[in-house]
Amino acid sequence: MSWSRGILPALAVCVLSVTGAAGCASDDASTPTGQESAISPSPVGKVLDDTDDDGRHYREVGKKGAPQVALEVEPDAEGGWDVRLNLRDFAFSPSGTQARAVTGRGLARLFADGEPLADLRDTSYRIPEGYLAHGTHQVTARLYADDGTVWAVDGKPVESTADITASEPEPEPEPEPEPGSASEPESASESPAGDPGSSSPSALSAPGAFPRTEGQGSPDRGGKAS
């Protein structure tokens, strides 16, 4: 009987101790809200408040090992433009990659005068003939992470811009009439024998004696890029 009375208080102390410990843990622990989860820090760089024209936030990374891009644009033989990207510390992710920022990976977006032109997962692209009107234009390549944020260094997007000038197409020369064509008058010696007045100058200059040919005008100079 004395054993029963001795063990019951001991059990009660253990229960109270466990309950008290649980209660303390519950008071100290913080329950994360949905908002706190959404703004959890990213393991890659720092997302800034600054955005590009499409509202995509900059992802700041240090200069050392940061992605770099250099842009080259040259006219081709068909009137278009060949675009080439030279990359450093950056690799294109394949299409369908998970929307998550990974160091030194993503895609490039090409702009013409600030307007989106193409999303690139390759270092080469061709701007077709006629896309750029006559005049000077700015072509820009900007690097993005797979989650859509813009890679940035010192608060500025990682990009490269090239100025190009689309010249006005030269007019095509008018074709010269071929010898013996209808536009050349026949000589009097080639007139049929016995044709009255065939050698008369008035007959050669008479209205409607020979068909009239219209010259071709120069092509429309619409200012297409060459």
Side-chain angles (χ1 to χ4, degrees):
M1 190 70 179
S2 59
W3 177 84
S4 299
R5 291 178 180 178
I7 195 169
L8 287 176
L11 290 174
V13 171
C14 293
V15 171
L16 289 174
S17 300
V18 173
T19 305
C24 293
S26 177
D27 293 339
D28 296 338
S30 59
T31 303
T33 63
Q35 182 179 6
E36 292 173 347
S37 300
I39 62 175
S40 59
S42 170
V44 181
K46 178 183 178 182
V47 178
L48 307 180
D49 293 334
D50 297 333
T51 65
D52 64 1
D53 294 337
D54 295 330
R56 299 180 182 273
H57 287 270
Y58 292 173
R59 183 178 293 276
E60 176 92 358
V61 293
K63 289 183 178 181
K64 184 178 180 180
Q68 299 180 41
V69 58
L71 179 66
E72 297 179 2
V73 185
E74 297 181 352
D76 62 16
E78 299 178 358
W81 298 87
D82 288 329
V83 178
R84 178 166 295 277
L85 306 183
N86 295 319
L87 304 172
R88 184 174 181 180
D89 295 326
F90 185 81
F92 289 113
S93 300
S95 180
T97 298
Q98 182 181 0
R100 181 171 61 92
V102 177
T103 302
R105 299 192 67 89
L107 58 85
R109 175 164 290 183
L110 199 64
F111 297 85
D113 296 330
E115 296 295 329
L117 178 58
D119 288 342
L120 306 182
R121 297 185 185 272
D122 192 271
T123 57
S124 60
Y125 182 78
R126 182 179 183 272
I127 301 176
E129 178 186 4
Y131 184 87
L132 300 176
H134 169 61
T136 301
H137 305 271
Q138 286 189 333
V139 178
T140 301
R142 183 179 301 157
L143 300 185
Y144 290 77
D146 290 314
D147 65 347
T149 54
V150 184
W151 290 114
V153 175
D154 291 336
K156 298 180 180 180
V158 177
E159 61 183 26
S160 178
T161 299
D163 292 336
I164 62 175
T165 300
S167 60
E168 191 174 6
E170 297 181 358
E172 297 180 0
E174 296 184 5
E176 298 180 358
E178 298 181 359
S181 63
S183 60
E184 294 185 356
E186 298 180 358
S187 61
S189 59
E190 295 178 353
S191 300
D195 185 4
S198 59
S199 59
S200 171
S202 60
L204 295 177
S205 60
F210 299 99
R212 180 182 178 184
T213 57
E214 297 289 344
Q216 296 182 359
S218 59
D220 180 20
R221 301 169 70 179
K224 294 183 178 180
S226 59

